[in-house]
Amino acid sequence: MEDLQASILTWKGGVVLVWFAAFFIAERWKPAAREQPEPLAHEDARPLGAWSRVGRNLGLWVANVGLSPLVVVPLTLWASEQALDWRPLWWSGPAGLLLDLMILDFLIYWWHRANHEIRFLWRFHEIHHLDRFLDTSSALRFHFGEVLLSACARAAVIILLGIPFFSVIIFEILVLLSALFHHSNLRIGADTERLLSRLIITPSIHWVHHHAVRRDTDSNYGTIFSFWDRLFGSSSKTERWSDMPIGVERTEERRFLGLLIRPFSVRQAPPAAENQL
Ligand SMILES: [Zn+2]
């Protein structure tokens, strides 16, 4: 098992990188939506190319790549060593792994929902939502504060439920592959997507989560499986259309440094509160 874990960790980066490259190329070859030019901040502003958005997303990702070996992986390993030993014998092997994946996806659904419903968590998660268009690079765009908070929440789950490190790594790989897929701008046949969406989160479901209308932003929280939203009443009725506005209602995208400091800025009335009136 130790050898298997080591080789899965080694392969994780490679598999994710190949998956990312495949979707990044495919969505430019067969896009579902056309990206509009970035609006200028003022009349004399220099026009920004489509790559500036991708550059911001990859910039935020690079900061997180640095955090991974320094904080996220050591914290996850430490939590696995402290995990409470209460699991029955039957909760092991392939069936145990499947159960772990279901539980972790159920919990990530609620963690994502908490990121929208708790104002402090939204400050960090909002940086992901401020992207004004979506493609595979959006799946890597998270503020380092959200990554650290998620790592702490995950450590608590690992300790309390005694989730093995192996299950956590398999889940992480599936989350990354799923996120790269459902953020992508790849055009998929309507019938294929409808069939897939019965079980997993597809681009049409997740793009509605990024619709710049707060009611839709606060819906479709699923990451891998699509049935949690149906089960807990958070599915949006909105159907994705090709030039659907993406982002956060009444809030503008920021430059790279602006995104890094935004969660720590003092704000008076967040859009969520305004809309609930
Ligand atoms: Zn979200």
Side-chain angles (χ1 to χ4, degrees), residues 45-66:
R46 194 164 38 92
L48 293 164
W51 290 100
S52 67
R53 190 186 62 78
V54 173
R56 273 196 298 271
N57 293 352
L58 296 182
L60 286 164
W61 173 68
V62 165
N64 297 333
V65 167

Side-chain angles (χ1 to χ4, degrees), residues 112 116 125 129 209:
H112 187 189
H116 282 250
H125 187 58
H129 277 271
H209 179 68

Side-chain angles (χ1 to χ4, degrees), residues 144-162:
F144 66 86
E146 180 174 350
V147 172
L148 289 176
L149 288 164
S150 300
C152 293
R154 190 177 47 206
V157 166
I158 293 169
I159 293 172
L160 292 174
L161 297 182

Side-chain angles (χ1 to χ4, degrees), residues 83-116:
L84 300 178
D85 186 20
W86 59 268
R87 296 177 141 217
L89 255 183
W90 58 262
W91 196 346
S92 58
L97 173 66
L98 201 66
L99 189 56
D100 285 338
L101 296 178
M102 293 288 282
I103 290 170
L104 288 170
D105 196 54
F106 164 77
L107 290 172
I108 209 174
Y109 165 87
W110 283 104
W111 173 248
H112 187 189
R113 195 162 167 169
N115 271 270
H116 282 250

